[in-house]
Amino acid sequence: MAYELDQFISDCRSILSRDPGPDGREEVRTKLERLLQNPDFVRKHCEDAPRGLHVLYEDPKLGFQVLAHINEKARVSPPHDHGKSWAIYGQANKYTDMIEWQREDDGRDPNHAKLKQVKKYRLNPGQAGIYQDGAIHSIDYPDNARFVRVTGTDLDKIERIKIDLKTGKVDTMRMMAS
Ligand SMILES: [Fe+2]
């Protein structure tokens, strides 16, 4: 039987209630990969869905969200974090090139960061990557790439940073869809 969105949500609830830490999130990541193997789910929520960002589920108790990102245009994001949250990105179609960054500075200057690239890889359909609290990454995807994100909380409600690669300038942001 196909693994459905409802079952995925129920699994996320029980996993994250038992273990909200990195091990529990890793379990959620593998479940998301399983969900993305369901062609009916991908068609309905990712391929046939209208363009934009859709909240498929928000947990009233634990606060995690399941989001479908239905992108039309290609985009390269600046390096950014997810604040005090974590994020899991699961590719539905096309691909997303991921770069993971580390700070080389001591983090004391709130306005400036020096970044070093530590990992670069491509998420293909059915693959999910995890970014723990405070991790910095950037994403690069082509036209019509679609992905499903699971975040620990509503990222629009928390403070996050993005970093200009050329100047190292750190900006605090809200409401950024990556
Ligand atoms: Fe992100």
Side-chain angles (χ1 to χ4, degrees):
M1 233 175 75
Y3 188 58
E4 303 289 347
L5 177 62
D6 285 354
Q7 184 62 50
F8 172 70
I9 288 165
S10 146
D11 285 347
C12 288
R13 267 208 307 265
S14 58
I15 292 166
L16 294 170
S17 299
R18 171 169 46 81
D19 183 357
D23 291 348
R25 301 166 197 171
E26 173 57 23
E27 278 187 65
V28 170
R29 189 191 70 76
T30 60
K31 298 281 184 196
L32 178 57
E33 289 193 334
R34 193 172 160 208
L35 179 64
L36 292 166
Q37 301 300 321
N38 178 347
D40 293 335
F41 167 80
V42 171
R43 196 174 309 117
K44 181 175 172 195
H45 292 287
C46 302
E47 284 167 0
D48 294 346
R51 174 177 175 259
L53 173 57
H54 307 284
V55 180
L56 302 182
Y57 179 75
E58 177 170 354
D59 192 85
K61 190 165 155 227
L62 302 172
F64 70 86
Q65 287 191 325
V66 181
L67 309 148
H69 290 255
I70 312 304
N71 307 301
E72 196 173 42
K73 294 280 168 225
R75 175 166 181 256
V76 180
S77 84
H80 62 271
D81 71 3
H82 309 99
K84 289 197 168 73
S85 181
W86 46 269
I88 298 170
Y89 285 64
Q91 199 67 30
N93 70 354
K94 301 285 178 96
Y95 62 84
T96 299
D97 285 329
M98 291 284 179
I99 300 179
E100 296 183 20
W101 305 88
Q102 253 173 25
R103 283 182 80 145
E104 278 192 306
D105 61 306
D106 59 12
R108 271 197 235 167
D109 182 348
N111 302 313
H112 193 268
K114 188 160 187 252
L115 294 183
K116 141 176 112 173
Q117 184 175 316
V118 284
K119 254 194 207 174
K120 183 174 182 181
Y121 50 91
R122 176 166 289 186
L123 288 182
N124 287 304
Q127 295 180 319
I130 189 163
Y131 309 92
Q132 304 285 357
D133 323 36
I136 298 169
H137 80 150
S138 54
I139 66 178
D140 180 348
Y141 56 77
D143 287 350
N144 289 313
R146 275 106 203 251
F147 53 83
V148 174
R149 243 186 357 157
V150 185
T151 59
T153 189
D154 180 353
L155 296 184
D156 287 347
K157 292 187 179 152
I158 61 174
E159 204 161 85
R160 304 165 59 193
I161 58 165
K162 67 176 177 183
I163 297 144
D164 185 303
L165 260 187
K166 283 197 187 114
T167 62
K169 187 173 181 296
V170 175
D171 278 315
T172 309
M173 59 173 181
R174 282 185 182 229
M175 312 272 283
M176 181 174 138
S178 57

